[in-house]
Amino acid sequence: MFFFKAGQKKYQIGGVAIGGQPGETPTVLVGSIFYSRHKIVSNERAGIFDKDAADALIKQQAELSDKTGCPALLDIVGSTPEAIKKYIDFVAGASERPFLIDSPGVDVKIAAVEYAKEAGLEDRIIYNSVSIETKDAEYEALKKNGTKSVILLAYTKKITSSADRVAVVADLAPRLDGLGVSNILIDTFVMDVPSLTPSGKAALLIKNRFGYPCGCAAHNAISTWSGVKNLLGKEAVRSADVVANLMPVILGADFLLYGPVEDSAYVFPAVFTIDTSYRYAYRMKEYVTL
């Protein structure tokens, strides 16, 4: 639907293309695995999990990727250095595609970066993420270990301000450039339903000004909204989640952190529908130039 005047940055990360004009490159879809209270994990601190169940989830996502053309990545979430190293080993062996490393603990993310370097996987990792709250130790670890792909989370305390998200990118992106990071991906920060719209507007502004690939974890809007279930029932949650995940894609997002990898079965067909329409619109130049 949209065409951005700014030149769009297009990356190749571990053989996966990301970025460009809407309709030019398929949307990259990222499912979370080993997240907190994931039922396939029996011991989060030790990283003990059901390997057969994990493999089945990875294969399901990969099959949907093959059918739709939407690249499928995994966001590996670990709670301890020991656990995330085990998860990295498993995912790296189960798929040749790049993967995200993620954790609420800074020490865990740093350990993951170091381990990826030791294992020769530094070109396949995407660091998730840096923000205005990131400390020097993280930046130093990224530089020391030659991390090339990083998600910049445009976090702001003013969650309904698109302008503040753009300002975060203007401030932090040059610092990442200075560390040798060559692939900067922007997460325009969704925390709840009210933040969906400014997140989407920020993506439009950022792509049109800087050309960085943009996306977000739109499912956060629904996972934090207990009201929809209380008001409309359990089945309403899924339809609300699909709509939330489609909103940034309609606005030209390059990637989507769609939530638990289990949700791939209904997210991939929905995004594929938008991608198919936009692919033809791009070829026929049926778009609005911003």
Side-chain angles (χ1 to χ4, degrees), residues 3-243:
F3 187 90
F4 300 100
K5 292 180 180 178
Q8 298 298 293
K9 301 179 188 297
K10 291 184 284 186
Y11 306 139
Q12 284 285 336
I13 304 175
V16 171
I18 184 168
Q21 298 286 354
E24 186 178 5
T25 307
T27 307
V28 175
L29 299 178
V30 185
S32 296
I33 193 167
F34 309 126
Y35 49 86
S36 178
R37 295 188 295 278
H38 194 174
K39 63 182 181 181
I40 69 171
V41 178
S42 57
N43 188 320
E44 291 186 9
R45 295 198 60 80
I48 299 173
F49 62 98
D50 184 331
K51 294 183 178 180
D52 289 338
D55 189 59
L57 290 171
I58 294 171
K59 285 181 177 177
Q60 174 181 278
Q61 185 185 240
E63 289 172 0
L64 287 163
S65 177
D66 291 340
K67 291 178 179 179
T68 63
C70 296
L73 307 188
L74 292 165
D75 182 36
I76 302 174
V77 186
S79 59
T80 67
E82 178 185 4
I84 205 164
K85 291 176 184 178
K86 291 180 181 178
Y87 299 156
I88 287 172
D89 282 341
F90 184 81
V91 170
S95 170
E96 295 181 353
R97 287 181 170 167
F99 51 87
L100 284 62
I101 52 175
D102 192 359
S103 176
V106 173
D107 61 325
V108 180
K109 291 196 293 182
I110 290 177
V113 166
E114 294 173 343
Y115 184 69
K117 175 71 172 179
E118 293 172 7
L121 298 169
E122 64 270 26
D123 291 337
R124 289 177 58 186
I125 66 167
I126 302 172
Y127 191 82
N128 187 18
S129 59
V130 301
S131 71
I132 57 173
E133 296 187 343
T134 297
K135 307 301 182 185
D136 288 344
E138 280 186 80
Y139 287 115
E140 291 168 3
L142 295 175
K143 182 176 181 179
K144 179 181 177 181
N145 293 283
T147 305
K148 299 299 182 185
S149 304
V150 174
I151 290 179
L152 192 169
L153 176 65
Y155 166 74
T156 169
K157 293 180 180 179
K158 297 181 180 179
I159 63 172
T160 56
S161 170
S162 57
D164 275 40
R165 288 167 168 79
V166 177
V168 169
V169 174
D171 181 45
L172 294 185
R175 182 165 187 178
L176 290 175
D177 280 329
L179 298 175
V181 175
S182 53
N183 306 319
I184 301 174
L185 310 174
I186 310 300
D187 180 340
T188 51
F189 175 50
V190 172
M191 187 175 77
D192 53 20
V193 172
S195 64
L196 267 172
T197 298
S199 171
K201 181 181 178 181
L204 294 174
L205 296 172
I206 291 164
K207 284 181 69 66
N208 213 31
R209 176 175 170 183
F210 304 107
Y212 289 120
C214 289
C216 63
H219 77 101
N220 286 343
I222 307 305
S223 66
T224 60
W225 187 24
S226 60
V228 67
K229 181 178 178 180
N230 296 335
L231 180 65
L232 299 172
K234 183 178 180 180
E235 292 303 315
V237 176
R238 175 164 292 184
S239 59
D241 193 53
V242 171
V243 169

